[in-house]
Amino acid sequence: MTRDEFSRLVDETVRRILSLGGESPEEEQVRQEYERYYDILQPASFPTATEEDKLSIVPALVKRYCSEFTIKKKVGFAYFDDSTHKWLDDVEDQIGWKYWNRYKDYLLFTKRWSKNAVRTLDRDTYNLLDLMADPRGSECFERRGLVVASVQSGKTSNYIGVISRAADAGFKLIIVMAGVHNVLRSQTQQRIEEGFTGFTIENNTRQPVGVGLTKPIEPHVMMCTTRAEDFNKRRAGALMSIQVQHVTQNVPLIFVIKKNSNALKQVYEWLKSNANSNDPILIIDDEADNASINGKYKREHRDDEPTRINGQIRNILSLFSRCCYLGYTATPYANILIDPDLESEDYGRDLFPGSFIYTLSDSSDYFGAEKVFGDFDEPRPRHLRFIDDIDDFLPPKHKSTYKMHALPDSLKEAIRAFVLADTIRSLRGQSSEHCTMMVNVSPYKIPQKSVADCISDYLEVLRESVNALAGLPVSMALSCPSDNEIVMLKETWSREYETTLDDRFIWDEVQPALIDSVARIHVVSINTDSNDVLNYDGQVEHVIAVGGYRLSRGLTLEGLTVSYYSRNAKAYDALMQMARWFGYRAGYEDLCRIWMSQQAAGWYKFVADSTDDLIADLREMRQLRSNPRDYGLKIQRSPDSLTVTARNKMGTGKIVKAPIDLNNGFAETVSFVRDRRVIDSNIQACFDLLRSLDKASRDATERFLFRNVPVCHIKSFLSCYKNDDTESIRSQTTPILNYIDGCLSIDELTLWDVLVAQGGDSDASMDLPVVGRVSCERRSPGLRTNGASLVVGENNRLASRGVEKAGLTEGQIERAEERFRAENPERTKNCSDRYYRAERTKPLLVIHPVNMKFGNNERSKNWTKIDGWGSPEHQEKAIGWSISFPKSSAQANLVDYVFNEVALKNISSDFREESDDDYADD
């Protein structure tokens, strides 16, 4: 037994012992148990152990176990329709839960999940089964549900738990649709074998795996697919005689299939011939927003002609009188925009999740958008690095035959950071855990191959330098010629890790350990032209994976530590799916780095913030007993859905209108018309507004805050302000004025607070009427800036965080922040503005004097990419505004936002479909 295998044996043994106690043990008790079982197990299992091994293994295991006590995860929340009948409480004691209990123990002891995470999974999976239907009775049911969860946050673990509970409860047929590629289907098959069936098929024999290693269950589940083979004609023929055995033994059949029309056709034909129409069936649709949607952004509306895969899913469901469809997604927009009333005689109901929608919560140890993009605006974010040099090596719109011949410096830096991270993980005792770097820079296979070749060449250069010099004394190694890679690695170490690690290693420890690291790292190219594989099951991988679409959808990259991502920036609903760097990074989160363009990072932050606010709003709505249709309307009417709505209407050649509800919403200018006359006109509109406030009440504590301003002054300002409607869609003044008028009709929004925002740009100020000289807020120009539009940054935000608390009382501020902390115990950032907005009783208009100028940081290099920006010191001033609307008593006050042809064209250029040419080949 190796040192790492022995460490896992001690860990699993102690976890089982400690699980017998009711209360969480004290750290000293944990330490005593680990030391005790180390001593008991060591002579037989690891006889070559030294005292140094014990001093290294035991503290590391104690630290990991105790750190899990701090992990917090809330149970999810549900929307469900009036036909939902909660049934599980009444029959829970009648169900044996053999599959679920086995899976729960596997997560606790083998996968080493925290108790809190398993408890939450227990409740979430129980709640989901409760929302489905009782499969044991004879009543017919047809349920359509959706589970919404963050990217890489544990959706697969959740649906394996749901499958386990569903099998315990009596579902006879289970189909899992696992993505559109063989590699993802095979990965999902393996996860289900390890967590549910407990065996895999090799050479026509069953081999125990996962849960089956400790608790085999007989009769065993009927597995209709294997890791190597999807459901096809051969598998269908082999299973023709299964029906009698399946019914008499009362065990479930499970299919894990690719979301492919051929596989779906074979499953349909087999079920039609072999299954009983009253067998309860559960269909799990992983990545339900991909390929399952009827008419993905079609240009014409064809209700009776669904896309092939959509029609086949509905056909399978129509075979059964007791069926449940359960989709899983991180991006629910496409699923929610399905017509809930669409039904066809040939295909049955569409897949709108009309029965229930269940939203899972992230745990506090989830490495997600808040941790990655939360400090985007800081001069040097902790995990995020910006790419500004790849276009000269790989043009953004390159052809599928393009070959890269050299690496940009940013990619070399990322590779060095990965080598260092792998080395540090080894020093932490994690050398037996997977460690992966992802490189996703092209949708095409030939460019991917050329990138992989260049990386392999550079890795060889690193090996030669490390092998020659890393074993020397530090001073001698670093004194060699300046072009040696040890010097470059040391410089990367100083930039990335020297002062940021949770444990403070020094270079003297790192340098000699580089030798083992560079020896074990290898490069694979993941596409259909390559024979390379990510063999996480067969070996410990220390790997750089180069790919395109296959690395963007569903595939889990184990131990992902460094990511290098350069793809088109704004493929909205695909954007978060590509974020493979999200997930759980226990023991190495501080080492994680993500390289991407500043523009892409800005859009990731925008989408993440929008989704975060939307989920918070939906969590509030559940208290009103809302149903899935209300959920859908909330998404459709959210200002953040404007770009999605526009994308759906692309190519119609028409002016498009989108009904939006600004109730408790926020609007701001994120772009300015770049015409001197318009800028001067907007400054004049600001001057006129401020002059009208000369007699208004001034706040005693905030010099630039005006209280109880009559709405007529606000309307006059907005009427005179000339908005950039093509780039700053949410600040179109016509719909905002219409919304204000609608509220005025019920005596709301009559009095306003007005704030003039102050910035920290000491080099730029404006002399404004009534308030005097004001320092401007400095904002960097966005890369979408052109001759017509002056775009603010990359994350579609003008206002600073916290601005919406202006005008609130101390009590209101305290309530908002207490609620934020209660609902987000894991977040250490400042309170989100939506919590302040919820306390508002009056609307707030903020005037933003803005100086568009690059700061003195690495982002200043972008000035060369902006039309008409003559130098890094160039600056342009403008006046912007933002509005925070309080809650309205009106049920719905919808206003139409309009997309003209120019706006649609701008959006369509950014929302170009990802066209990986390996998509159709697999």
Side-chain angles (χ1 to χ4, degrees):
M1 183 176 287
T2 67
R3 180 181 187 276
D4 292 320
E5 289 171 339
F6 173 67
S7 177
R8 290 190 68 87
L9 174 64
V10 173
D11 195 24
E12 185 171 341
T13 303
V14 173
R15 284 172 182 271
R16 289 184 180 277
I17 297 299
L18 292 176
S19 71
L20 300 176
E23 300 295 325
S24 297
E26 297 293 333
E27 182 174 344
E28 184 56 35
Q29 180 189 349
V30 173
R31 184 180 307 281
Q32 291 173 1
E33 292 296 332
Y34 273 106
E35 289 178 345
R36 176 186 172 201
Y37 281 94
Y38 181 101
D39 293 338
I40 292 172
L41 297 169
Q42 180 266 322
S45 301
F46 191 35
T48 60
T50 66
E51 187 62 26
E52 287 185 2
D53 287 318
K54 182 175 182 179
L55 293 175
S56 172
I57 290 173
V58 170
L61 294 178
V62 172
K63 180 180 179 181
R64 175 166 180 166
Y65 185 90
C66 292
S67 69
E68 294 169 3
F69 296 148
T70 64
I71 296 174
K72 300 180 178 65
K73 179 166 180 160
K74 294 188 293 187
V75 175
F77 63 93
Y79 287 67
F80 50 87
D81 63 4
D82 293 338
S83 66
T84 298
H85 171 65
K86 299 292 189 71
W87 59 278
L88 198 48
D89 285 350
D90 294 335
V91 301
E92 181 183 7
D93 294 340
Q94 302 170 26
I95 300 173
W97 303 118
K98 59 183 180 182
Y99 293 114
W100 165 248
N101 286 332
R102 181 173 73 162
Y103 180 54
K104 183 170 63 173
D105 287 349
Y106 172 72
L107 294 178
L108 275 171
F109 306 129
T110 303
K111 303 303 287 184
R112 298 189 287 183
W113 278 35
S114 71
K115 286 185 178 180
N116 192 23
V118 173
R119 277 195 295 266
T120 302
L121 182 67
D122 189 318
R123 292 312 308 167
D124 282 333
T125 54
Y126 184 97
N127 293 342
L128 282 164
L129 183 62
D130 201 22
L131 289 167
M132 289 158 56
D134 186 353
R136 304 167 315 137
S138 58
E139 292 184 7
C140 297
F141 58 83
E142 184 180 7
R143 305 288 288 168
R144 302 276 200 277
L146 182 71
V147 178
V148 181
S150 300
V151 175
Q152 297 289 98
S153 65
K155 293 190 294 295
T156 305
S157 299
N158 182 276
Y159 69 67
I160 292 174
V162 169
I163 289 169
S164 300
R165 283 195 180 276
D168 285 326
F171 276 89
K172 298 283 187 67
L173 297 163
I174 300 169
I175 299 173
V176 179
M177 296 184 295
V180 296
H181 287 303
N182 284 329
V183 65
L184 179 54
R185 191 210 69 80
S186 180
Q187 184 184 74
T188 304
Q189 173 90 26
Q190 178 181 338
R191 294 280 302 276
I192 288 174
E193 289 173 355
E194 292 170 345
F196 173 55
T197 70
F199 65 88
T200 188
I201 302 293
E202 291 184 6
N203 300 320
N204 294 320
T205 60
R206 284 191 292 123
Q207 301 291 333
V209 296
V211 293
L213 291 171
T214 54
K215 294 184 178 180
I217 292 177
E218 295 291 346
H220 60 80
V221 174
M222 294 296 176
M223 198 78 215
C224 301
T225 52
T226 69
R227 297 185 191 183
E229 198 170 14
D230 201 344
F231 198 75
N232 51 33
K233 288 184 178 180
R234 198 195 73 78
R235 295 292 301 166
L239 292 170
M240 289 300 286
S241 62
I242 289 296
Q243 183 191 10
V244 173
Q245 183 183 13
H246 157 56
V247 172
T248 56
Q249 293 187 337
N250 197 31
V251 296
L253 269 74
I254 183 165
F255 303 75
V256 181
I257 64 172
K258 189 167 58 175
K259 206 181 299 185
N260 169 284
S261 60
N262 290 330
L264 285 164
K265 179 182 178 182
Q266 292 299 327
V267 171
Y268 173 79
E269 295 295 341
W270 190 88
L271 291 172
K272 188 176 180 181
S273 301
N274 291 272
N276 295 319
S277 62
N278 63 342
D279 279 344
I281 184 172
L282 168 63
I283 295 181
I284 301 284
D285 187 355
D286 197 5
E287 310 291 349
D289 61 309
N290 183 31
S292 304
I293 304 299
N294 180 17
K296 188 178 182 184
Y297 309 116
K298 289 183 299 186
R299 295 191 177 186
E300 37 238 33
H301 192 56
R302 299 177 294 175
D303 287 350
D304 297 326
E305 189 181 346
T307 54
R308 184 179 299 178
I309 290 175
N310 175 270
Q312 289 172 319
I313 296 170
R314 291 157 66 183
N315 277 338
I316 291 174
L317 289 166
S318 67
L319 290 175
F320 298 91
S321 60
R322 298 192 293 158
C323 59
C324 181
Y325 167 87
L326 184 59
Y328 279 75
T329 184
T331 49
Y333 292 97
N335 304 84
I336 298 305
L337 292 175
I338 296 171
D339 184 348
D341 298 317
L342 183 58
E343 188 166 357
S344 163
E345 185 174 335
D346 293 332
Y347 299 97
R349 287 168 51 200
D350 205 350
L351 301 180
F352 177 79
S355 302
F356 61 89
I357 300 174
Y358 196 92
T359 302
L360 300 175
S361 300
D362 296 333
S363 66
S364 58
D365 61 334
Y366 175 62
F367 185 69
E370 173 67 20
K371 291 180 179 177
V372 175
F373 300 108
D375 58 353
F376 168 81
D377 295 318
E378 297 296 323
R380 186 171 175 82
R382 180 170 188 185
H383 300 286
L384 198 57
R385 301 292 176 263
F386 299 126
I387 301 171
D388 60 10
D389 58 356
I390 195 172
D391 291 357
D392 293 335
F393 296 82
L394 188 68
K397 295 184 179 180
H398 58 274
K399 295 182 179 180
S400 61
T401 56
Y402 189 91
K403 292 184 178 180
M404 180 188 276
H405 298 289
L407 298 180
D409 288 342
S410 60
L411 183 47
K412 289 182 179 179
E413 174 83 343
I415 294 168
R416 291 193 296 268
F418 177 65
V419 170
L420 290 164
D422 184 85
T423 303
I424 296 163
R425 292 192 64 187
S426 179
L427 291 172
R428 289 176 176 175
Q430 299 171 10
S431 60
S432 63
E433 298 182 19
H434 301 302
C435 190
T436 303
M437 175 180 179
M438 179 191 78
V439 179
N440 186 343
V441 295
S442 173
Y444 306 120
K445 290 177 283 192
I446 292 175
Q448 290 170 17
K449 175 66 165 56
S450 70
V451 171
D453 289 343
C454 290
I455 292 173
S456 294
D457 291 343
Y458 182 61
L459 197 56
E460 187 57 35
V461 171
L462 285 173
R463 282 196 194 98
E464 291 177 359
S465 185
V466 167
N467 289 335
L469 302 174
L472 299 175
V474 169
S475 58
M476 187 180 299
L478 296 177
S479 64
C480 290
S482 60
D483 60 349
N484 87 68
E485 291 297 330
I486 289 289
V487 172
M488 301 299 290
L489 284 161
K490 174 64 166 60
E491 291 177 357
T492 302
W493 159 262
S494 299
R495 282 188 292 268
E496 294 297 336
Y497 297 128
E498 186 172 25
T499 61
T500 63
L501 297 184
D502 294 340
D503 41 15
R504 295 297 176 87
F505 291 108
I506 60 174
W507 181 251
D508 295 55
E509 299 171 278
V510 173
Q511 181 180 294
L514 290 169
I515 298 173
D516 289 337
S517 181
V518 296
R520 60 181 170 243
I521 294 173
H522 66 111
V523 182
V524 297
S525 184
I526 304 299
N527 59 52
T528 51
D529 281 358
S530 171
N531 293 322
D532 295 343
V533 295
L534 288 166
N535 189 18
Y536 291 124
D537 187 44
Q539 64 187 36
V540 178
E541 287 278 22
H542 300 263
V543 62
I544 300 175
V546 182
Y549 189 90
R550 286 184 171 206
L551 299 183
S552 302
R553 272 278 183 181
L555 185 67
T556 298
L557 299 173
E558 301 287 352
L560 182 59
T561 307
V562 173
S563 301
Y564 189 93
Y565 171 82
S566 179
R567 296 288 289 272
N568 65 308
K570 239 168 81 177
Y572 207 85
D573 52 357
L575 204 61
M576 299 310 287
Q577 288 293 350
M578 291 187 176
R580 298 294 100 192
W581 44 83
F582 294 152
Y584 297 95
R585 306 285 180 251
Y588 61 97
E589 182 181 296
D590 58 327
L591 300 174
C592 293
R593 297 292 183 271
I594 300 99
W595 269 261
M596 64 173 57
S597 72
Q598 185 180 343
Q599 188 178 30
W603 269 97
Y604 269 108
K605 178 169 174 54
F606 169 71
V607 174
D609 287 349
S610 299
T611 303
D612 191 41
D613 284 348
L614 179 62
I615 295 299
D617 287 341
L618 294 170
R619 189 183 289 275
E620 278 187 12
M621 282 175 58
R622 69 181 172 143
Q623 299 172 359
L624 304 176
R625 299 186 64 83
S626 302
N627 60 43
R629 286 178 180 247
D630 297 324
Y631 188 115
L633 287 173
K634 179 64 179 178
I635 287 181
Q636 291 174 23
R637 294 172 179 177
S638 165
D640 293 320
S641 73
L642 284 169
T643 41
V644 181
T645 305
R647 185 184 179 198
N648 283 332
K649 301 298 184 180
M650 265 185 262
T652 61
K654 301 176 182 177
I655 298 281
V656 174
K657 294 183 178 180
I660 299 298
D661 190 353
L662 291 170
N663 183 0
N664 204 213
F666 183 76
E668 62 183 338
T669 52
V670 294
S671 179
F672 311 108
V673 177
R674 201 177 179 190
D675 181 302
R676 190 69 253 171
R677 292 168 298 178
V678 172
I679 290 174
D680 289 344
S681 173
N682 287 340
I683 291 175
Q684 185 60 49
C686 169
F687 282 17
D688 292 343
L689 169 66
L690 294 175
R691 289 191 183 101
S692 71
L693 304 182
D694 189 27
K695 304 299 184 182
S697 171
R698 301 280 286 272
D699 187 84
T701 57
E702 292 193 56
R703 175 185 167 197
F704 298 138
L705 177 63
F706 298 85
R707 300 278 200 172
N708 299 320
V709 176
V711 68
C712 59
H713 301 310
I714 311 301
K715 292 181 63 177
S716 177
F717 167 72
L718 292 174
S719 298
C720 294
Y721 189 93
K722 293 179 173 59
N723 185 62
D724 184 359
D725 287 354
T726 61
E727 292 287 353
S728 188
I729 296 171
R730 289 171 59 175
S731 57
Q732 291 180 19
T733 54
T734 298
I736 290 175
L737 286 166
N738 289 340
Y739 177 78
I740 293 171
D741 285 339
C743 290
L744 288 174
S745 68
I746 55 173
D747 293 327
E748 293 181 346
L749 306 187
T750 56
L751 297 176
W752 290 57
D753 289 336
V754 176
L755 175 72
V756 179
Q758 276 202 104
D761 193 343
S762 58
D763 297 330
S765 61
M766 284 189 184
D767 289 317
L768 301 178
V770 180
V771 296
R773 176 160 292 189
V774 176
S775 296
C776 293
E777 296 180 294
R778 187 173 69 191
R779 297 291 182 266
S780 297
L783 293 177
R784 290 178 58 84
T785 294
N786 53 46
S789 298
L790 183 59
V791 181
V792 179
E794 309 301 343
N795 64 338
N796 272 28
R797 287 305 307 264
L798 171 66
S800 299
R801 193 164 195 165
V803 71
E804 293 183 71
K805 70 179 175 182
L808 298 182
T809 66
E810 289 184 5
Q812 289 173 319
I813 293 172
E814 186 175 337
R815 277 198 306 273
E817 293 176 352
E818 283 181 357
R819 185 165 153 246
F820 171 77
R821 288 191 293 270
E823 295 184 5
N824 305 273
E826 73 285 356
R827 292 174 64 173
T828 58
K829 298 290 182 183
N830 294 332
C831 178
S832 171
D833 278 276
R834 63 173 305 278
Y835 290 88
Y836 297 127
R837 194 182 317 144
E839 294 291 331
R840 300 204 70 82
T841 57
K842 287 183 295 188
L844 171 70
L845 169 67
V846 183
I847 300 297
H848 296 273
V850 179
N851 187 36
M852 301 291 284
K853 176 185 176 182
F854 285 106
N856 296 321
N857 53 47
E858 58 185 80
R859 306 183 199 197
S860 63
K861 300 174 186 177
N862 287 334
W863 75 268
T864 59
K865 302 177 183 179
I866 294 180
D867 185 19
W869 213 265
S871 71
E873 292 75 32
H874 180 75
Q875 52 190 312
E876 298 181 22
K877 292 180 182 178
I879 288 287
W881 55 265
S882 59
I883 294 178
S884 176
F885 287 107
K887 290 181 180 178
S888 170
S889 61
Q891 289 295 314
N893 181 8
L894 303 183
V895 291
D896 284 335
Y897 278 74
V898 177
F899 299 85
N900 59 28
E901 281 296 295
V902 176
L904 286 172
K905 184 178 179 181
N906 286 342
I907 292 171
S908 66
S909 66
D910 287 324
F911 286 89
R912 177 175 59 84
E913 283 293 320
E914 291 292 318
S915 56
D916 295 32
D917 63 352
D918 64 296
Y919 179 87
D921 294 347
D922 191 355

